[in-house]
Amino acid sequence: MSRTGVRIVRSSIREPRPVGVAILASAGVAVGIVLALLLVALIAYKAALGVPLAMQIIDIALAIVVPFTIVWFFWGVWEVLQSAWWSHVIGGPLVAAGLGAAFVWRGMVIGLLVRGVPVALHQWIETGFVWSVWVILILEITTVVYLLTAWKAFGIGAPKPLWERRHW
């Protein structure tokens, strides 16, 4: 009898990405990129008008944090990561509450965004802000509802392989 071991061939076959996940993830990444471009355009326009960058610190923070957070979380959905599923399911209601607060206090937020911009553009910025809030809110609610139905694709509730289990 031989002492050679049995070789186990691992397969890299992966479950196909559900179509709904691909659509929502693509839409989320596109929304994040468009939002980043719009905010950078607003910052550049204000800089061209002579508004110093030090006065635009809130605009710059929004241009960095909000769009890239959106892209980060929706990229995780594209990659079908469990952490993305959990972040949307737990964070989705928090995002909806935050967007609701931003909509309620939109006068203050828009006041910060239009600082240094000609009055003729205030309505454009307000309209863009309101549309952005609604689009992100609808996208996030749709994503959370869909992810609650597509939990198997993310491996939620499935037993983990033996090598991934933690032994305390």
Side-chain angles (χ1 to χ4, degrees), residues 7-167:
R7 176 172 273 172
I8 299 174
V9 178
R10 281 194 174 171
S11 173
S12 64
I13 297 174
R14 192 171 168 180
E15 291 289 323
R17 179 181 296 112
V19 175
V21 168
I23 292 170
L24 287 172
S26 300
V29 169
V31 164
I33 291 171
V34 167
L35 188 61
L37 293 174
L38 288 174
L39 287 169
V40 167
L42 178 64
I43 292 167
Y45 182 71
K46 284 183 175 182
L49 289 175
V51 178
L53 288 179
M55 287 186 61
Q56 297 189 53
I57 195 71
I58 294 173
D59 301 339
I60 294 169
L62 283 174
I64 293 170
V65 173
V66 173
F68 291 112
T69 303
I70 292 171
V71 169
W72 179 274
F73 285 118
F74 279 99
W75 195 274
V77 171
W78 176 264
E79 293 292 329
V80 193
L81 300 175
Q82 276 187 355
S83 60
W85 190 89
W86 284 107
S87 66
H88 278 281
V89 170
I90 293 172
L94 298 174
V95 168
L99 289 170
F103 190 75
V104 169
W105 295 317
R106 68 185 174 273
M108 184 179 65
V109 175
I110 292 168
L112 293 170
L113 291 174
V114 299
R115 196 172 27 179
V117 176
V119 177
L121 294 178
H122 288 200
Q123 185 64 36
W124 284 86
I125 294 173
E126 181 178 356
T127 303
F129 175 78
V130 170
W131 274 98
S132 298
V133 167
W134 278 110
V135 166
I136 296 169
L137 181 65
I138 291 168
L139 179 65
E140 187 61 32
I141 290 172
T142 306
T143 302
V144 170
V145 170
Y146 180 79
L147 290 180
L148 288 173
T149 63
W151 54 274
K152 285 185 181 179
F154 289 84
I156 305 298
K160 292 187 177 186
L162 185 60
W163 59 85
E164 289 184 9
R165 294 183 190 162
R166 294 185 183 188
H167 301 287

